[in-house]
Amino acid sequence: MLGRRSAVLGENGVNMSLSAIARYGETVNADPRVSQVAEIVNEILGPDQVCLTLVHLSLDEDIPTHKAVVTATIEIEKHGATRSVDFEGRGVGLLDAFFEGLVSFFSKEYASLKTISIADYRVKLGDASDLEGRNSDVDATAVIKVRNADEKEYEFAQKTPSVTYSSALAAINVVNFFINSEMAYVRMHLALKDANDRRRSDLVEKYRGKMAVLVHATSYSEVVARLERGGS
Protein backbone atom coordinates (compact mmCIF):
# COMPACT_ATOMS: atom_id res chain seq x y z
CA MET A 1 0.00 0.00 0.00
CA LEU A 2 1.33 3.41 -0.96
CA GLY A 3 2.49 5.39 2.02
CA ARG A 4 2.96 2.40 4.30
CA ARG A 5 6.03 0.43 5.23
CA SER A 6 5.86 -3.11 6.51
CA ALA A 7 8.75 -5.33 7.48
CA VAL A 8 9.41 -8.53 9.36
CA LEU A 9 12.98 -8.66 10.59
CA GLY A 10 14.92 -11.89 10.49
CA GLU A 11 18.35 -13.46 10.54
CA ASN A 12 18.54 -13.51 6.77
CA GLY A 13 16.43 -10.46 6.01
CA VAL A 14 12.70 -10.11 5.50
CA ASN A 15 10.22 -12.79 6.59
CA MET A 16 12.57 -14.68 8.89
CA SER A 17 12.83 -14.84 12.67
CA LEU A 18 15.50 -12.75 14.34
CA SER A 19 16.93 -13.67 17.70
CA ALA A 20 19.69 -12.59 20.05
CA ILE A 21 20.12 -12.28 23.76
CA ALA A 22 19.95 -8.68 24.90
CA ARG A 23 21.27 -7.98 28.37
CA TYR A 24 22.10 -4.62 29.78
CA GLY A 25 25.55 -5.89 30.77
CA GLU A 26 26.42 -6.26 27.10
CA THR A 27 25.54 -2.73 26.05
CA VAL A 28 28.18 -0.39 24.69
CA ASN A 29 28.91 2.92 26.38
CA ALA A 30 26.78 1.98 29.39
CA ASP A 31 26.22 4.70 31.96
CA PRO A 32 28.50 4.17 35.01
CA ARG A 33 25.46 4.44 37.29
CA VAL A 34 23.81 1.62 35.34
CA SER A 35 26.90 -0.50 35.93
CA GLN A 36 26.87 0.32 39.65
CA VAL A 37 23.27 -0.80 40.06
CA ALA A 38 23.85 -3.83 37.82
CA GLU A 39 26.73 -5.00 40.03
CA ILE A 40 24.49 -4.95 43.11
CA VAL A 41 21.70 -6.68 41.19
CA ASN A 42 24.11 -9.41 40.08
CA GLU A 43 25.30 -9.85 43.66
CA ILE A 44 21.75 -10.17 44.98
CA LEU A 45 20.09 -12.22 42.23
CA GLY A 46 22.96 -14.07 40.56
CA PRO A 47 21.52 -16.69 38.18
CA ASP A 48 17.97 -15.71 39.16
CA GLN A 49 18.10 -12.64 36.93
CA VAL A 50 15.53 -12.38 34.18
CA CYS A 51 16.89 -12.48 30.63
CA LEU A 52 14.81 -11.21 27.71
CA THR A 53 15.52 -12.48 24.21
CA LEU A 54 14.07 -10.89 21.09
CA VAL A 55 12.79 -13.67 18.84
CA HIS A 56 10.66 -11.86 16.28
CA LEU A 57 9.72 -8.30 15.42
CA SER A 58 7.32 -6.97 12.80
CA LEU A 59 6.84 -3.29 11.96
CA ASP A 60 3.92 -1.70 10.12
CA GLU A 61 4.39 2.05 9.72
CA ASP A 62 2.18 4.64 8.04
CA ILE A 63 4.69 7.05 6.50
CA PRO A 64 2.53 10.22 6.19
CA THR A 65 1.38 10.08 9.83
CA HIS A 66 4.49 8.35 11.27
CA LYS A 67 2.16 6.08 13.23
CA ALA A 68 3.62 2.63 13.77
CA VAL A 69 2.38 -0.73 15.00
CA VAL A 70 4.93 -3.23 16.25
CA THR A 71 4.27 -6.87 17.05
CA ALA A 72 7.00 -8.84 18.75
CA THR A 73 7.80 -12.18 20.34
CA ILE A 74 10.15 -12.28 23.30
CA GLU A 75 11.49 -15.22 25.26
CA ILE A 76 11.62 -14.74 29.02
CA GLU A 77 14.20 -16.78 30.87
CA LYS A 78 13.51 -16.83 34.61
CA HIS A 79 14.51 -19.32 37.31
CA GLY A 80 15.81 -21.73 34.69
CA ALA A 81 12.54 -21.85 32.74
CA THR A 82 11.86 -20.17 29.40
CA ARG A 83 8.55 -19.05 27.97
CA SER A 84 7.60 -17.02 24.90
CA VAL A 85 5.24 -14.07 24.95
CA ASP A 86 3.73 -11.93 22.20
CA PHE A 87 2.82 -8.28 22.50
CA GLU A 88 1.84 -5.29 20.39
CA GLY A 89 2.86 -1.67 20.70
CA ARG A 90 1.65 1.52 19.02
CA GLY A 91 3.39 4.84 18.76
CA VAL A 92 5.17 7.35 16.58
CA GLY A 93 7.88 5.38 14.81
CA LEU A 94 9.58 2.09 15.64
CA LEU A 95 11.15 2.88 19.01
CA ASP A 96 8.12 4.64 20.48
CA ALA A 97 5.82 1.77 19.49
CA PHE A 98 8.19 -0.98 20.57
CA PHE A 99 9.03 0.63 23.92
CA GLU A 100 5.35 1.33 24.63
CA GLY A 101 4.54 -2.31 23.95
CA LEU A 102 7.38 -3.58 26.14
CA VAL A 103 6.54 -1.37 29.10
CA SER A 104 2.77 -1.95 28.86
CA PHE A 105 3.29 -5.72 28.85
CA PHE A 106 5.91 -6.05 31.58
CA SER A 107 4.66 -3.30 33.92
CA LYS A 108 1.72 -5.52 34.81
CA GLU A 109 4.19 -7.63 36.79
CA TYR A 110 6.98 -5.11 37.39
CA ALA A 111 5.34 -1.87 38.52
CA SER A 112 8.53 0.21 38.59
CA LEU A 113 8.53 0.22 34.78
CA LYS A 114 5.65 2.71 34.97
CA THR A 115 8.07 5.28 36.39
CA ILE A 116 10.42 5.45 33.38
CA SER A 117 10.13 7.27 30.07
CA ILE A 118 12.35 7.93 27.07
CA ALA A 119 14.17 11.25 27.37
CA ASP A 120 16.32 10.99 24.23
CA TYR A 121 17.05 8.64 21.36
CA ARG A 122 19.72 8.81 18.71
CA VAL A 123 21.51 6.56 16.26
CA LYS A 124 25.20 6.81 15.43
CA LEU A 125 26.56 5.15 12.30
CA GLY A 126 30.05 3.71 12.03
CA ASP A 127 32.76 4.92 9.68
CA ALA A 128 31.71 4.13 6.11
CA SER A 129 34.80 5.66 4.48
CA ASP A 130 36.27 2.28 3.65
CA LEU A 131 33.13 0.87 2.06
CA GLU A 132 33.00 0.35 -1.68
CA GLY A 133 30.12 0.83 -4.06
CA ARG A 134 26.67 0.63 -2.51
CA ASN A 135 27.73 -1.54 0.39
CA SER A 136 26.13 -0.02 3.49
CA ASP A 137 27.08 -2.70 6.00
CA VAL A 138 28.24 -0.37 8.79
CA ASP A 139 27.52 -0.67 12.48
CA ALA A 140 24.63 1.33 13.88
CA THR A 141 24.70 2.26 17.55
CA ALA A 142 21.30 3.04 19.03
CA VAL A 143 21.47 5.13 22.21
CA ILE A 144 18.43 5.44 24.45
CA LYS A 145 18.35 7.81 27.41
CA VAL A 146 15.60 7.10 29.93
CA ARG A 147 14.33 9.29 32.76
CA ASN A 148 13.23 7.80 36.07
CA ALA A 149 10.79 8.94 38.75
CA ASP A 150 13.43 11.21 40.31
CA GLU A 151 14.13 12.93 36.97
CA LYS A 152 17.51 11.20 36.76
CA GLU A 153 18.58 9.99 33.33
CA TYR A 154 20.35 6.78 32.38
CA GLU A 155 21.84 5.88 29.02
CA PHE A 156 21.75 2.49 27.32
CA ALA A 157 23.23 1.63 23.94
CA GLN A 158 23.46 -1.31 21.58
CA LYS A 159 25.47 -1.77 18.39
CA THR A 160 24.64 -4.07 15.46
CA PRO A 161 24.71 -3.67 11.65
CA SER A 162 20.96 -2.87 11.75
CA VAL A 163 19.43 0.41 12.95
CA THR A 164 16.14 -1.34 13.74
CA TYR A 165 17.79 -4.25 15.52
CA SER A 166 20.08 -1.99 17.57
CA SER A 167 17.10 0.15 18.60
CA ALA A 168 15.01 -2.85 19.63
CA LEU A 169 17.84 -4.41 21.61
CA ALA A 170 18.63 -1.14 23.38
CA ALA A 171 14.97 -0.89 24.42
CA ILE A 172 15.05 -4.47 25.69
CA ASN A 173 18.21 -3.69 27.64
CA VAL A 174 16.39 -0.82 29.37
CA VAL A 175 13.45 -2.99 30.38
CA ASN A 176 15.68 -5.90 31.37
CA PHE A 177 17.70 -3.61 33.63
CA PHE A 178 14.68 -2.21 35.47
CA ILE A 179 13.02 -5.62 35.83
CA ASN A 180 16.07 -7.09 37.53
CA SER A 181 16.57 -3.98 39.65
CA GLU A 182 13.02 -4.31 40.93
CA MET A 183 13.44 -8.01 41.62
CA ALA A 184 16.61 -7.30 43.60
CA TYR A 185 14.88 -4.54 45.57
CA VAL A 186 11.97 -6.82 46.44
CA ARG A 187 14.37 -9.51 47.64
CA MET A 188 16.22 -7.01 49.83
CA HIS A 189 12.94 -5.57 51.15
CA LEU A 190 11.82 -9.00 52.31
CA ALA A 191 15.26 -9.83 53.70
CA LEU A 192 15.31 -6.55 55.62
CA LYS A 193 11.93 -7.30 57.19
CA ASP A 194 13.19 -10.72 58.26
CA ALA A 195 16.41 -9.24 59.67
CA ASN A 196 14.42 -6.69 61.66
CA ASP A 197 12.13 -9.40 63.01
CA ARG A 198 15.19 -11.39 64.13
CA ARG A 199 16.89 -8.27 65.52
CA ARG A 200 19.93 -8.81 63.28
CA SER A 201 21.29 -5.28 63.24
CA ASP A 202 24.33 -6.39 61.21
CA LEU A 203 22.13 -7.66 58.39
CA VAL A 204 19.81 -4.65 58.63
CA GLU A 205 22.73 -2.32 57.92
CA LYS A 206 23.97 -4.53 55.09
CA TYR A 207 20.60 -4.77 53.36
CA ARG A 208 19.86 -1.07 53.74
CA GLY A 209 23.19 -0.28 52.08
CA LYS A 210 22.30 -2.37 49.04
CA MET A 211 18.81 -0.91 48.82
CA ALA A 212 20.30 2.58 48.89
CA VAL A 213 22.11 1.74 45.66
CA LEU A 214 19.10 0.07 44.04
CA VAL A 215 16.87 3.12 44.52
CA HIS A 216 19.26 5.01 42.24
CA ALA A 217 17.49 3.16 39.42
CA THR A 218 14.01 4.49 40.17
CA SER A 219 11.22 4.69 42.76
CA TYR A 220 9.76 1.49 44.16
CA SER A 221 6.93 3.11 46.11
CA GLU A 222 4.19 1.24 44.23
CA VAL A 223 6.15 -2.00 44.55
CA VAL A 224 6.52 -1.54 48.33
CA ALA A 225 2.84 -0.66 48.69
CA ARG A 226 1.90 -3.86 46.91
CA LEU A 227 4.20 -5.89 49.16
CA GLU A 228 2.68 -4.33 52.27
CA ARG A 229 -0.78 -5.26 50.99
CA GLY A 230 0.42 -8.84 50.83
CA GLY A 231 1.14 -8.99 47.10
CA SER A 232 4.21 -10.53 45.51
Side-chain angles (χ1 to χ4, degrees), residues 23-195:
R23 306 195 76 162
Y24 52 82
E26 296 177 358
T27 60
V28 296
N29 194 33
D31 190 301
R33 293 172 300 177
V34 171
S35 300
Q36 182 185 25
V37 174
E39 287 176 7
I40 294 294
V41 169
N42 188 59
E43 181 182 337
I44 295 170
L45 297 180
D48 292 337
Q49 295 180 70
V50 167
C51 180
L52 305 181
T53 303
L54 178 62
V55 176
H56 184 85
L57 185 152
S58 177
L59 167 68
D60 186 9
E61 184 175 12
D62 184 70
I63 301 302
T65 63
H66 305 295
K67 293 182 179 179
V69 179
V70 167
T71 55
T73 301
I74 286 182
E75 285 186 350
I76 307 172
E77 182 183 341
K78 183 178 181 180
H79 301 314
T82 301
R83 65 187 179 96
S84 295
V85 298
D86 300 316
F87 67 85
E88 179 181 282
R90 296 173 180 269
V92 180
L94 166 72
L95 181 66
D96 187 46
F98 185 66
F99 191 76
E100 186 277 333
L102 271 175
V103 171
S104 293
F105 182 86
F106 285 102
S107 62
K108 298 171 186 175
E109 182 174 357
Y110 305 100
S112 64
L113 289 174
K114 300 175 185 177
T115 69
I116 63 173
S117 60
I118 294 178
D120 187 40
Y121 165 64
R122 63 187 185 277
V123 175
K124 300 184 294 185
L125 298 180
D127 186 2
S129 60
D130 295 330
L131 296 179
E132 297 180 359
R134 287 177 289 185
N135 187 349
S136 59
D137 186 19
V138 297
D139 284 334
T141 301
V143 182
I144 299 176
K145 185 177 291 185
V146 293
R147 183 177 296 119
N148 69 8
D150 299 318
E151 298 298 316
K152 294 179 180 178
E153 296 180 349
Y154 294 86
E155 188 173 282
F156 298 78
Q158 189 72 42
K159 181 170 65 174
T160 77
S162 164
V163 171
T164 300
Y165 194 17
S166 295
S167 301
L169 292 189
I172 289 177
N173 289 341
V174 171
V175 172
N176 216 149
F177 170 78
F178 283 96
I179 285 175
N180 284 319
S181 297
E182 179 176 325
M183 288 176 58
Y185 187 88
V186 168
R187 183 170 292 188
M188 285 296 93
H189 178 86
L190 298 175
L192 177 62
K193 183 179 183 302
D194 177 71

